[in-house]
């Protein structure tokens, strides 16, 4: 199964990022890694989550380096359907408000994850693209119980190779 490098779809002045990943673990295991604060802290960063519709999510990504207040993301959970869908608002001082959605589908004895982040400005979405990819690589390592790749190194590698000249879809 091949992971997509992430698709950037532009509609006017807004963009949506779309990623697909397949993991050999069952949906409940992937769900736990995405929604349990202790697990999420290992691959993404400090997370507080009220596991319900209209609950709050607060996250401070471990990377990139910078002041916590600039990186702090807050939002309201709009869909909570374990272990299938988590959707939440994304409000962060450094980017436009958006919505992030994780969809998990049982597939071939494992889990297909579809991740979308919509509502970003085109420039910010372009910057988030290799960063989100790097975080998903860290999620994979956590699930596979292997060393997590350093986010900064992975981001630089992705930005210089995979995302140089990649296709952008306009709708």
């Amino acid at each position: 199964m091949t992971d997509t490098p992430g698709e950037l779809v532009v509609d006017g002045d807004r963009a949506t990022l779309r990623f697909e990943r397949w993991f050999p673990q069952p949906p409940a295991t992937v769900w736990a890694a995405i929604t349990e604060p202790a697990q999420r802290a290992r691959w993404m960063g400090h997370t507080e989550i009220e596991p319900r519709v209209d609950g709050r999510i607060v996250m401070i990504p471990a990377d990139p380096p910078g002041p916590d207040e600039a990186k702090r993301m807050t939002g309201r959970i709009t869909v909570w359907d374990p272990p299938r869908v988590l959707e939440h608002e994304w409000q962060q001082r450094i980017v436009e408000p958006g919505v992030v959605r994780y969809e998990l589908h049982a597939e071939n004895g494992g889990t297909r994850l579809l991740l979308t982040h919509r509502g970003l400005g085109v420039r910010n979405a372009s910057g988030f693209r290799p960063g989100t990819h790097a975080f998903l690589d860290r999620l994979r390592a956590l699930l596979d119980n292997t060393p997590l790749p350093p986010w900064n190194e992975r981001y630089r590698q992705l930005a210089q190779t995979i995302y140089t000249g990649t296709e952008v879809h306009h709708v």
Side-chain angles (χ1 to χ4, degrees), residues 37 40-42 44-48 58-62 72-73:
R40 193 173 170 101
R42 292 186 54 210
M44 175 68 92
H46 171 81
T47 302
E48 299 168 21
V58 177
M59 184 185 62
I60 302 172
R72 179 184 308 277
M73 182 283 303

Side-chain angles (χ1 to χ4, degrees), residues 18-135:
R18 293 185 184 137
F19 291 87
E20 281 189 48
R21 294 287 183 275
W22 183 84
F23 302 102
Q25 297 81 10
T29 301
V30 178
W31 179 262
I34 291 169
T35 63
E36 291 179 6
Q39 289 195 56
R40 193 173 170 101
R42 292 186 54 210
W43 66 273
M44 175 68 92
H46 171 81
T47 302
E48 299 168 21
I49 191 166
E50 295 175 345
R52 61 182 173 79
V53 172
D54 290 327
R56 284 188 48 81
I57 183 168
V58 177
M59 184 185 62
I60 302 172
D63 289 297
D68 284 354
E69 282 310 307
K71 296 190 302 181
R72 179 184 308 277
M73 182 283 303
T74 62
R76 182 179 59 86
I77 295 171
T78 55
V79 179
W80 180 267
D81 183 14
R84 291 177 287 279
V85 181
L86 167 62
E87 183 180 274
H88 62 84
E89 299 166 335
W90 184 283
Q91 298 171 13
Q92 190 177 24
R93 194 175 84 188
I94 61 172
V95 297
E96 303 79 8
V99 175
V100 172
R101 182 178 179 94
Y102 300 86
E103 295 179 40
L104 295 109
H105 304 275
E107 181 181 292
N108 297 331
T111 304
R112 171 74 50 194
L113 167 66
L114 305 173
L115 171 68
T116 57
H117 188 159
R118 62 185 190 271
L120 292 167
V122 177
R123 180 176 176 197
N124 286 325
S126 295
F128 268 51
R129 194 174 182 191
T132 302
H133 188 136
F135 278 120

